[in-house]
Amino acid sequence: MPKRSSAATLTDIALQAQVHKTTASRALDPARRHMVSPEVVRRVEAAARALNYRVNRAASALRTGRSGTVGVLLPDITNPVFPPILRGIEQALAAEGFFVLVADTGNEQSPDQAADRMLAQRVEGLIIATSSLHDPLVERLGQDQVKVVLVNRRDEAGSMPAVVSDDMLGMKLAVDHLAAIGHRRIAHLSGPLGLSTGALRKAGFERAMAAHGLTPAGFAECAAYSCEAGEAGTRHLLRSGASFTAIAAANDLIALGSIQALQGEGLRVPQDVSVIGHNDMPLVDRVSPPLTTVRILHYEMGFRAARLLLDSLRGVPGTTSTVVLRPELVVRASSAPPPVGKAERA
Amino acid sequence: MPKRSSAATLTDIALQAQVHKTTASRALDPARRHMVSPEVVRRVEAAARALNYRVNRAASALRTGRSGTVGVLLPDITNPVFPPILRGIEQALAAEGFFVLVADTGNEQSPDQAADRMLAQRVEGLIIATSSLHDPLVERLGQDQVKVVLVNRRDEAGSMPAVVSDDMLGMKLAVDHLAAIGHRRIAHLSGPLGLSTGALRKAGFERAMAAHGLTPAGFAECAAYSCEAGEAGTRHLLRSGASFTAIAAANDLIALGSIQALQGEGLRVPQDVSVIGHNDMPLVDRVSPPLTTVRILHYEMGFRAARLLLDSLRGVPGTTSTVVLRPELVVRASSAPPPVGKAERA
DNA sequence: CTGAAAGCGCTAACAA
DNA sequence: TTGTTAGCGCTTTCAG
């Protein structure tokens, strides 16, 4: 009779199955099961089921150095960009028996603290969605040989493996669309330029404009990827005296804030000004007007980041490379040809 | 010279600080530090810093039986209801040095599998947002003495501690509002009745209607909390020949789907039919028309659930009780007085 | 206040 | 194919 007080251990099932606990351990591990006779495997499995045995990962982690966990650092899980990324990560990891430790570093804790606590937990690697272009944390982790994959953002040096969307291409799609329907005076509302998404989308905007022989009709950096920052940026743009018939925003929330601010000034979207977002967040197809935007494959991004990390943990070569996913344009009602006679004016 | 190959251990810092590793362990634990002379604490801390020491939680988990982790089961992290709940959980746990292990059980894995894997990881408790009214998993976990807190949903028996919003009250707020602006013929689109939120909101709707001396003007059960299910439910309602001037939906997504379906039939919201949602999800203030809804304190719900679990882990008494939070009505443009002459008709 | 000893549950290495 | 031995790094006795 095994003690019912606490969980069954290998010793318990070894006793019950009349084998040594080492044998029991082997019989229960798919990777080592072949070393054990079928009959013994059967007995051990029966005993394990009977005693409701579950391997103690704390013990095996201590012994093997592998915890079966991966840490994920997110800036703000309530930002709609991140749930599908997290979901992709979780699905890829769960398929391999790994678990996700999440830390939302938006509020109380710093990414550094969170990363340290995760390393104490002996996570086998880290997936980071919080990194800025020059991130001391990422640098430090790299020096400490911690396995790291960046997701959605990349570092300036490009020395860390990352899975990102092609941010330059995304803005090119936006600008190409606006130019194709007749816009010549296009302004840009960027995200924080300290983030790769902010900097690259701005660069992509400028390059795409140049390719059309256009010069930016206005620019403002938004301090955050939020509606509020989008409103503020737009007011700044309007006050600067810039004249434009379209705004390419670096993010859907910024675009929504921008629409709000434009409407507050009596401007109609898209009749007076077209606005295009970025990300294709949930519900932006139902706002008024439905938002034209650039769709990013967030789930895929998370999934690939996790796969990359898993491969790297297993020593698969070539896992230091960066994966770049293709975004696509989604045209809805917030973009339309510029008002007649205005496109060429000013 | 400590070996630089792998992470520093207590033995390493004990050596460096010229004390026994037991003493080093005590010096680094705030709860046992007082047993050690200040001078030794200083030396040990210096050594720890110098060697970049981080306690190995796998080892301490094995020794103490406490892993410092809590598992969270979510049905679908991309459903906007759950990110703020997860955030609340994470913040409350992080403040106490705990980590969250998340599993999204929507896709590949079943909640049962996920829970088993989590128990193998020796999570100290489980926070479950996936439970149905009669949930075999929850029952089993209860029997196995696993510490469990339900969040957002509760079990039929009410035997498990849970943190939920007052779903009956939420529907009462919705019905009271519609009645106050003149509606008499109100229909209900419920969520899945196998979930406490679906069943309780339906019950709340019916009770509130009765309190006003009204009988439900129509009803359809939506198979999921999604726009698609809301559309389907609404079409069902329309085809059933029900006559109504308002719909109280059990969820914002259902409400948005409903609006879509109504508009598809040439009905205007709110001029012909008022629609009211539930949850106050992000961006529903910017859809067309802005959605009147019942706001639920999701972050608070997650935070309180985590606190409840932590207290329970520490043996604080009274942690088996269920916490019920108060929702509040948010009036926007999707609700308005019924069309003149229609309120009393049919 | 500090040290010695023991052992949590598991698996790698070696032996039979 | 199975068993023996040892030890991962920590913390909890118990002794001094």
Side-chain angles (χ1 to χ4, degrees), chain B residues 122-190:
Chain B
R122 293 304 189 265
V123 294
E124 298 186 37
L126 243 29
I127 297 178
I128 301 182
T130 56
S131 61
S132 54
L133 273 171
H134 291 286
D135 201 315
L137 169 63
V138 170
E139 226 161 83
R140 197 187 90 205
L141 293 171
Q143 278 165 5
D144 290 358
Q145 310 274 25
V146 179
K147 301 279 189 182
V148 172
V149 171
L150 307 182
V151 66
N152 192 41
R153 300 180 185 173
R154 54 199 306 179
D155 64 327
E156 176 111 77
S159 56
M160 279 288 170
V163 179
V164 295
S165 181
D166 190 333
D167 289 309
M168 303 267 288
L169 173 60
M171 286 310 293
K172 175 171 152 52
L173 295 175
V175 170
D176 284 357
H177 164 65
L178 292 171
I181 59 179
H183 291 273
R184 315 282 304 156
R185 308 195 61 78
I186 308 172
H188 178 51
L189 286 175
S190 82

Coordinates of all heavy atoms in Angstrom, one line a residue, chain B residues 122-190:
Chain B
R122 N 4.5 20.3 -11.2 CA 4.4 20.7 -9.8 C 4.0 22.1 -9.6 O 4.5 22.8 -8.7 CB 5.7 20.4 -9.0 CG 6.0 18.9 -8.9 CD 4.8 18.1 -8.3 NE 5.1 16.7 -8.0 CZ 4.9 15.7 -8.9 NH1 4.3 15.9 -10.0 NH2 5.1 14.5 -8.5
V123 N 3.0 22.6 -10.4 CA 2.4 23.9 -10.1 C 1.8 23.8 -8.7 O 1.3 22.7 -8.3 CB 1.4 24.3 -11.1 CG1 2.0 24.5 -12.5 CG2 0.3 23.3 -11.2
E124 N 1.8 24.9 -8.0 CA 1.2 24.9 -6.7 C -0.3 25.0 -6.7 O -0.9 24.7 -5.7 CB 1.9 25.9 -5.8 CG 3.4 25.7 -5.7 CD 4.0 26.7 -4.7 OE1 3.4 27.0 -3.7 OE2 5.2 27.1 -5.0
G125 N -0.8 25.5 -7.8 CA -2.2 25.6 -7.9 C -2.6 25.9 -9.3 O -1.8 26.1 -10.2
L126 N -3.9 25.9 -9.5 CA -4.4 26.1 -10.9 C -5.5 27.1 -10.9 O -6.4 27.2 -10.0 CB -5.1 24.7 -11.3 CG -4.5 23.9 -12.5 CD1 -3.0 24.1 -12.7 CD2 -4.8 22.5 -12.3
I127 N -5.5 28.0 -11.9 CA -6.5 29.0 -12.1 C -7.2 28.6 -13.4 O -6.5 28.6 -14.4 CB -6.0 30.4 -12.1 CG1 -5.4 30.8 -10.7 CG2 -7.2 31.4 -12.4 CD1 -4.8 32.2 -10.7
I128 N -8.5 28.4 -13.4 CA -9.2 27.8 -14.5 C -10.2 28.7 -15.1 O -11.2 29.1 -14.3 CB -9.8 26.4 -14.1 CG1 -8.7 25.5 -13.7 CG2 -10.5 25.8 -15.3 CD1 -9.1 24.1 -13.3
A129 N -10.1 29.1 -16.3 CA -11.1 29.9 -17.0 C -11.8 29.2 -18.1 O -12.5 29.7 -18.9 CB -10.4 31.2 -17.6
T130 N -11.7 27.9 -18.1 CA -12.2 27.0 -19.1 C -13.4 26.2 -18.7 O -14.0 25.5 -19.4 CB -11.2 26.0 -19.7 OG1 -10.7 25.3 -18.6 CG2 -10.1 26.8 -20.3
S131 N -13.8 26.3 -17.4 CA -14.7 25.4 -16.8 C -16.1 25.5 -17.3 O -16.6 26.6 -17.4 CB -14.7 25.4 -15.3 OG -15.1 26.7 -14.9
S132 N -16.8 24.4 -17.5 CA -18.2 24.4 -17.8 C -18.9 24.2 -16.5 O -18.3 24.0 -15.4 CB -18.6 23.4 -18.8 OG -18.1 22.1 -18.3
L133 N -20.2 24.3 -16.5 CA -21.0 24.2 -15.3 C -20.8 22.9 -14.5 O -20.6 22.8 -13.3 CB -22.5 24.4 -15.6 CG -23.0 25.8 -15.6 CD1 -24.4 25.9 -16.1 CD2 -22.9 26.4 -14.2
H134 N -20.8 21.8 -15.3 CA -20.5 20.5 -14.8 C -19.2 20.1 -15.4 O -19.2 19.6 -16.5 CB -21.5 19.5 -15.1 CG -22.8 19.7 -14.5 ND1 -23.0 19.4 -13.1 CD2 -24.0 20.2 -14.9 CE1 -24.3 19.8 -12.8 NE2 -24.9 20.2 -13.9
D135 N -18.1 20.3 -14.7 CA -16.8 20.1 -15.3 C -16.1 18.9 -14.7 O -15.7 19.0 -13.5 CB -16.0 21.3 -15.3 CG -14.9 21.3 -16.3 OD1 -14.2 20.2 -16.5 OD2 -14.7 22.3 -17.0
P136 N -16.0 17.8 -15.4 CA -15.4 16.6 -14.8 C -13.9 16.9 -14.4 O -13.5 16.4 -13.4 CB -15.4 15.6 -16.0 CG -16.2 16.1 -17.1 CD -16.4 17.6 -16.8
L137 N -13.3 17.7 -15.2 CA -11.9 18.0 -14.8 C -11.8 18.7 -13.5 O -11.1 18.3 -12.6 CB -11.3 19.0 -15.9 CG -9.9 19.6 -15.5 CD1 -8.8 18.6 -15.3 CD2 -9.5 20.6 -16.5
V138 N -12.7 19.7 -13.3 CA -12.7 20.5 -12.0 C -13.0 19.5 -10.9 O -12.4 19.6 -9.8 CB -13.7 21.6 -12.1 CG1 -13.9 22.3 -10.7 CG2 -13.2 22.7 -13.1
E139 N -14.0 18.7 -11.1 CA -14.4 17.7 -10.1 C -13.2 16.8 -9.7 O -12.9 16.6 -8.5 CB -15.5 16.8 -10.6 CG -16.6 16.6 -9.7 CD -17.9 16.2 -10.4 OE1 -18.0 14.9 -10.7 OE2 -18.7 17.0 -10.8
R140 N -12.5 16.3 -10.7 CA -11.4 15.4 -10.5 C -10.3 16.1 -9.7 O -9.7 15.6 -8.7 CB -10.8 15.0 -11.8 CG -9.9 13.7 -11.8 CD -9.3 13.5 -13.2 NE -8.0 14.2 -13.3 CZ -7.5 14.6 -14.4 NH1 -8.1 14.4 -15.6 NH2 -6.4 15.2 -14.5
L141 N -10.0 17.4 -10.1 CA -8.9 18.1 -9.4 C -9.3 18.4 -8.0 O -8.5 18.3 -7.1 CB -8.7 19.4 -10.1 CG -8.1 19.3 -11.5 CD1 -8.1 20.7 -12.2 CD2 -6.7 18.8 -11.5
G142 N -10.6 18.6 -7.7 CA -11.1 18.8 -6.4 C -10.8 17.6 -5.5 O -10.3 17.6 -4.4
Q143 N -11.2 16.4 -6.1 CA -11.0 15.2 -5.4 C -9.5 14.9 -5.1 O -9.1 14.4 -4.0 CB -11.5 14.0 -6.2 CG -13.0 13.8 -6.0 CD -13.6 12.9 -7.1 OE1 -12.9 12.4 -7.9 NE2 -14.9 12.8 -7.2
D144 N -8.6 15.3 -6.0 CA -7.2 15.1 -5.8 C -6.6 16.2 -4.9 O -5.4 16.3 -4.9 CB -6.5 15.1 -7.2 CG -6.8 13.8 -8.0 OD1 -7.6 13.0 -7.4 OD2 -6.3 13.7 -9.1
Q145 N -7.4 17.0 -4.3 CA -6.9 18.0 -3.4 C -6.1 19.1 -4.1 O -5.3 19.8 -3.4 CB -6.1 17.4 -2.3 CG -6.8 16.2 -1.6 CD -7.7 16.7 -0.5 OE1 -8.2 17.8 -0.5 NE2 -8.0 15.8 0.5
V146 N -6.2 19.2 -5.4 CA -5.4 20.3 -6.0 C -6.1 21.6 -5.7 O -7.3 21.7 -5.7 CB -5.4 20.0 -7.6 CG1 -4.7 21.1 -8.3 CG2 -4.8 18.7 -7.9
K147 N -5.2 22.6 -5.4 CA -5.7 23.9 -5.2 C -6.2 24.6 -6.5 O -5.4 24.7 -7.4 CB -4.6 24.8 -4.6 CG -4.0 24.3 -3.3 CD -4.9 24.6 -2.1 CE -4.2 24.3 -0.8 NZ -5.0 24.6 0.4
V148 N -7.5 24.9 -6.5 CA -8.1 25.4 -7.7 C -8.9 26.7 -7.4 O -9.6 26.7 -6.4 CB -9.0 24.4 -8.4 CG1 -9.8 25.0 -9.5 CG2 -8.2 23.2 -8.9
V149 N -8.8 27.7 -8.3 CA -9.7 28.8 -8.3 C -10.2 29.0 -9.7 O -9.5 29.0 -10.7 CB -8.9 30.1 -7.9 CG1 -9.9 31.3 -8.0 CG2 -8.5 30.0 -6.4
L150 N -11.5 29.1 -9.8 CA -12.1 29.3 -11.1 C -12.2 30.8 -11.3 O -12.4 31.6 -10.4 CB -13.6 28.8 -11.1 CG -13.7 27.3 -10.8 CD1 -15.1 26.8 -10.9 CD2 -12.8 26.4 -11.6
V151 N -12.1 31.2 -12.6 CA -12.2 32.7 -12.8 C -13.1 32.9 -14.0 O -13.1 32.1 -15.0 CB -10.8 33.3 -13.0 CG1 -10.1 32.7 -14.3 CG2 -10.8 34.8 -13.1
N152 N -13.9 33.9 -13.9 CA -14.9 34.3 -14.9 C -16.1 33.3 -15.0 O -17.2 33.7 -15.4 CB -14.2 34.4 -16.3 CG -15.1 35.1 -17.3 OD1 -15.8 36.1 -17.0 ND2 -15.2 34.6 -18.5
R153 N -15.8 32.1 -14.7 CA -16.9 31.1 -14.7 C -16.9 30.4 -13.3 O -16.0 30.4 -12.6 CB -16.6 30.1 -15.8 CG -16.6 30.7 -17.2 CD -16.3 29.7 -18.2 NE -16.1 30.3 -19.5 CZ -15.8 29.6 -20.6 NH1 -15.5 28.3 -20.5 NH2 -15.6 30.2 -21.8
R154 N -18.1 29.8 -13.0 CA -18.2 29.0 -11.8 C -18.8 27.7 -12.0 O -19.3 27.4 -13.1 CB -19.0 29.8 -10.8 CG -20.3 30.2 -11.3 CD -21.0 31.3 -10.5 NE -21.0 31.1 -9.1 CZ -21.5 31.9 -8.2 NH1 -21.9 33.1 -8.6 NH2 -21.5 31.6 -7.0
D155 N -18.7 26.8 -11.1 CA -19.3 25.5 -11.2 C -20.7 25.5 -10.7 O -21.1 26.3 -9.8 CB -18.4 24.4 -10.6 CG -18.4 24.5 -9.1 OD1 -18.4 25.7 -8.6 OD2 -18.3 23.5 -8.4
E156 N -21.5 24.6 -11.1 CA -22.9 24.5 -10.8 C -23.0 24.4 -9.2 O -23.8 25.1 -8.6 CB -23.6 23.3 -11.4 CG -25.0 23.2 -11.0 CD -26.0 23.5 -12.2 OE1 -26.1 22.6 -13.0 OE2 -26.6 24.5 -12.2
A157 N -22.3 23.5 -8.7 CA -22.4 23.2 -7.2 C -21.9 24.4 -6.4 O -22.3 24.6 -5.3 CB -21.6 22.0 -6.9
G158 N -21.1 25.2 -7.0 CA -20.5 26.3 -6.2 C -19.6 25.9 -5.2 O -19.3 26.6 -4.2
S159 N -19.0 24.7 -5.4 CA -18.2 24.1 -4.3 C -16.7 24.6 -4.5 O -15.9 24.4 -3.6 CB -18.2 22.6 -4.3 OG -17.9 22.1 -5.6
M160 N -16.4 25.1 -5.7 CA -15.0 25.6 -5.9 C -14.9 27.1 -5.7 O -15.8 27.8 -6.1 CB -14.6 25.3 -7.4 CG -14.2 23.9 -7.6 SD -12.6 23.6 -6.8 CE -12.5 21.8 -7.0
P161 N -13.9 27.5 -5.1 CA -13.7 29.0 -5.0 C -13.6 29.6 -6.4 O -13.0 29.0 -7.3 CB -12.4 29.2 -4.2 CG -11.7 27.8 -4.3 CD -12.8 26.8 -4.4
A162 N -14.3 30.7 -6.6 CA -14.3 31.3 -7.9 C -14.3 32.8 -7.8 O -14.8 33.3 -6.7 CB -15.5 30.8 -8.7
V163 N -13.8 33.5 -8.8 CA -14.0 34.9 -8.9 C -14.7 35.2 -10.2 O -14.2 34.9 -11.2 CB -12.6 35.7 -8.8 CG1 -12.8 37.2 -8.9 CG2 -11.9 35.3 -7.6
V164 N -15.9 35.8 -10.0 CA -16.7 36.0 -11.2 C -17.4 37.4 -11.1 O -17.3 38.1 -10.1 CB -17.9 35.0 -11.2 CG1 -17.3 33.6 -11.5 CG2 -18.7 35.1 -10.0
S165 N -17.9 37.8 -12.2 CA -18.7 39.0 -12.2 C -20.2 38.6 -11.9 O -20.5 37.5 -12.1 CB -18.7 39.7 -13.6 OG -19.5 40.9 -13.6
D166 N -20.9 39.5 -11.4 CA -22.3 39.2 -11.0 C -23.1 39.2 -12.3 O -23.6 40.2 -12.8 CB -22.9 40.2 -10.1 CG -24.2 39.8 -9.5 OD1 -25.0 39.1 -10.2 OD2 -24.6 40.2 -8.4
D167 N -23.2 38.0 -12.9 CA -23.8 37.9 -14.2 C -25.3 38.2 -14.2 O -25.8 38.8 -15.2 CB -23.6 36.5 -14.8 CG -22.1 36.2 -15.2 OD1 -21.6 37.1 -15.9 OD2 -21.5 35.2 -14.7
M168 N -26.0 37.8 -13.2 CA -27.4 38.1 -13.1 C -27.6 39.6 -13.0 O -28.4 40.2 -13.7 CB -28.0 37.5 -11.8 CG -27.9 36.0 -11.7 SD -29.3 35.0 -12.4 CE -30.5 35.3 -11.1
L169 N -26.8 40.3 -12.2 CA -26.9 41.7 -12.0 C -26.6 42.4 -13.4 O -27.3 43.4 -13.7 CB -26.0 42.2 -10.9 CG -25.9 43.7 -10.8 CD1 -27.2 44.3 -10.5 CD2 -24.8 44.1 -9.7
G170 N -25.6 41.9 -14.1 CA -25.2 42.5 -15.3 C -26.4 42.5 -16.3 O -26.7 43.6 -16.9
M171 N -27.1 41.4 -16.4 CA -28.3 41.4 -17.3 C -29.4 42.3 -16.8 O -30.1 42.9 -17.5 CB -28.8 40.0 -17.5 CG -27.9 39.1 -18.4 SD -27.5 39.9 -20.0 CE -29.1 39.9 -20.7
K172 N -29.5 42.4 -15.4 CA -30.5 43.3 -14.9 C -30.2 44.7 -15.3 O -31.1 45.5 -15.7 CB -30.5 43.1 -13.3 CG -31.5 44.1 -12.6 CD -31.6 43.8 -11.2 CE -31.9 45.0 -10.3 NZ -33.1 45.8 -10.8
L173 N -28.9 45.1 -15.2 CA -28.6 46.5 -15.6 C -29.0 46.7 -17.1 O -29.5 47.8 -17.4 CB -27.1 46.7 -15.5 CG -26.5 46.6 -14.1 CD1 -25.0 46.7 -14.1 CD2 -27.1 47.7 -13.2
A174 N -28.7 45.7 -17.9 CA -29.1 45.8 -19.3 C -30.6 46.0 -19.5 O -31.0 46.9 -20.2 CB -28.5 44.6 -20.1
V175 N -31.3 45.1 -18.9 CA -32.8 45.1 -19.1 C -33.4 46.4 -18.5 O -34.2 47.0 -19.1 CB -33.4 43.9 -18.4 CG1 -34.9 44.0 -18.4 CG2 -33.0 42.6 -19.2
D176 N -32.9 46.8 -17.3 CA -33.4 48.0 -16.6 C -33.2 49.2 -17.6 O -34.1 50.0 -17.7 CB -32.6 48.3 -15.3 CG -33.1 47.3 -14.2 OD1 -34.0 46.5 -14.4 OD2 -32.5 47.4 -13.1
H177 N -32.0 49.3 -18.2 CA -31.7 50.4 -19.1 C -32.7 50.4 -20.3 O -33.3 51.4 -20.6 CB -30.3 50.3 -19.6 CG -30.0 51.1 -20.8 ND1 -30.0 52.5 -20.8 CD2 -29.6 50.8 -22.1 CE1 -29.7 52.9 -22.0 NE2 -29.5 51.9 -22.8
L178 N -32.9 49.2 -20.9 CA -33.8 49.1 -22.1 C -35.2 49.5 -21.7 O -35.9 50.2 -22.4 CB -33.7 47.7 -22.7 CG -32.4 47.4 -23.4 CD1 -32.3 45.9 -23.7 CD2 -32.1 48.3 -24.6
A179 N -35.6 49.0 -20.5 CA -37.0 49.3 -20.0 C -37.1 50.8 -19.8 O -38.1 51.4 -20.1 CB -37.3 48.4 -18.8
A180 N -36.1 51.3 -19.2 CA -36.2 52.7 -18.8 C -36.3 53.6 -20.0 O -36.9 54.7 -19.9 CB -34.9 53.1 -18.0
I181 N -35.7 53.2 -21.1 CA -35.9 54.1 -22.3 C -37.1 53.7 -23.2 O -37.3 54.1 -24.3 CB -34.6 54.2 -23.2 CG1 -34.2 52.7 -23.7 CG2 -33.5 54.8 -22.4 CD1 -32.9 52.8 -24.5
G182 N -37.9 52.8 -22.6 CA -39.2 52.5 -23.3 C -39.4 51.2 -23.9 O -40.5 50.9 -24.5
H183 N -38.4 50.3 -23.9 CA -38.6 49.1 -24.6 C -39.5 48.1 -23.7 O -39.4 48.1 -22.5 CB -37.2 48.4 -24.8 CG -36.4 49.1 -25.9 ND1 -36.5 48.9 -27.2 CD2 -35.5 50.1 -25.7 CE1 -35.7 49.7 -27.9 NE2 -35.1 50.4 -27.0
R184 N -40.4 47.4 -24.4 CA -41.2 46.4 -23.8 C -41.0 45.0 -24.4 O -41.2 44.0 -23.7 CB -42.7 46.8 -24.0 CG -43.1 48.2 -23.7 CD -43.2 48.6 -22.3 NE -44.1 47.8 -21.6 CZ -44.1 47.6 -20.2 NH1 -43.1 48.1 -19.5 NH2 -45.0 46.8 -19.6
R185 N -40.6 45.0 -25.6 CA -40.4 43.7 -26.3 C -38.9 43.5 -26.5 O -38.3 44.0 -27.5 CB -41.1 43.7 -27.7 CG -42.6 44.1 -27.5 CD -43.5 43.8 -28.7 NE -43.5 42.3 -29.0 CZ -44.2 41.5 -28.3 NH1 -45.0 41.8 -27.3 NH2 -44.1 40.2 -28.6
I186 N -38.3 42.8 -25.6 CA -36.9 42.6 -25.6 C -36.5 41.1 -25.8 O -37.1 40.2 -25.1 CB -36.3 43.1 -24.2 CG1 -36.7 44.5 -24.0 CG2 -34.8 43.0 -24.2 CD1 -36.4 45.0 -22.6
A187 N -35.6 40.8 -26.7 CA -35.2 39.5 -26.9 C -33.8 39.2 -26.3 O -33.1 40.2 -26.0 CB -35.1 39.2 -28.4
H188 N -33.5 38.0 -26.1 CA -32.2 37.6 -25.5 C -31.4 36.7 -26.4 O -31.9 35.7 -26.9 CB -32.4 37.0 -24.1 CG -31.1 36.6 -23.5 ND1 -30.0 37.4 -23.3 CD2 -30.7 35.4 -22.9 CE1 -29.0 36.8 -22.7 NE2 -29.4 35.6 -22.4
L189 N -30.1 37.0 -26.6 CA -29.2 36.1 -27.3 C -28.2 35.6 -26.2 O -27.4 36.4 -25.8 CB -28.4 36.8 -28.4 CG -29.2 37.1 -29.7 CD1 -28.3 38.0 -30.6 CD2 -29.6 35.9 -30.4
S190 N -28.4 34.4 -25.8 CA -27.5 33.9 -24.8 C -26.2 33.3 -25.3 O -26.1 33.0 -26.5 CB -28.2 32.8 -24.0 OG -28.1 31.5 -24.6

